[in-house]
Amino acid sequence: MKELLEEIVKAFVDYPEQVQVRAVQGVEVTVLELRVHPSDLGKVIGRQGRMAGAIRTIVGAAGMTLKKRITVEILT
């Protein structure tokens, strides 16, 4: 899942080498923490959060196929 998130985000940011994803395992949910270059933050979030919502939907749906609950947090 970590690799999937990295590939999705690297496709549309200006600084793909600075994309970092860290997986934090919880009891019921896995949290993927996403860090990008500060100038790419707006691209990742998108207008009114649409891009971030789409990323969360894709990763969440992929997690459901593995029968795992996965959320994405965008960190600054």
Side-chain angles (χ1 to χ4, degrees), residues 23-41:
V24 179
Q25 298 288 336
V27 176
E28 294 183 10
V29 66
T30 300
V31 178
L32 297 178
E33 295 179 345
L34 173 65
R35 291 186 189 271
V36 294
H37 189 272
S39 66
D40 287 331
L41 193 58

Side-chain angles (χ1 to χ4, degrees), residues 1-2 4-5 8 32 54-70:
M1 296 310 302
K2 192 173 148 182
L4 173 66
L5 180 59
I8 291 171
L32 297 178
I55 291 170
R56 288 183 175 120
T57 300
I58 292 170
V59 172
M64 291 307 246
T65 62
L66 300 174
K67 299 196 182 346
K68 294 185 180 180
R69 216 171 134 216
I70 299 173

Side-chain angles (χ1 to χ4, degrees), residues 1 4-5 7-9 12 32 34 42-63 70-74:
M1 296 310 302
L4 173 66
L5 180 59
E7 291 301 315
I8 291 171
V9 174
F12 62 87
L32 297 178
L34 173 65
K43 288 183 180 181
V44 172
I45 295 173
R47 286 190 177 167
Q48 297 180 352
R50 287 188 182 129
M51 185 64 80
I55 291 170
R56 288 183 175 120
T57 300
I58 292 170
V59 172
I70 299 173
T71 61
V72 177
E73 286 188 11
I74 301 169

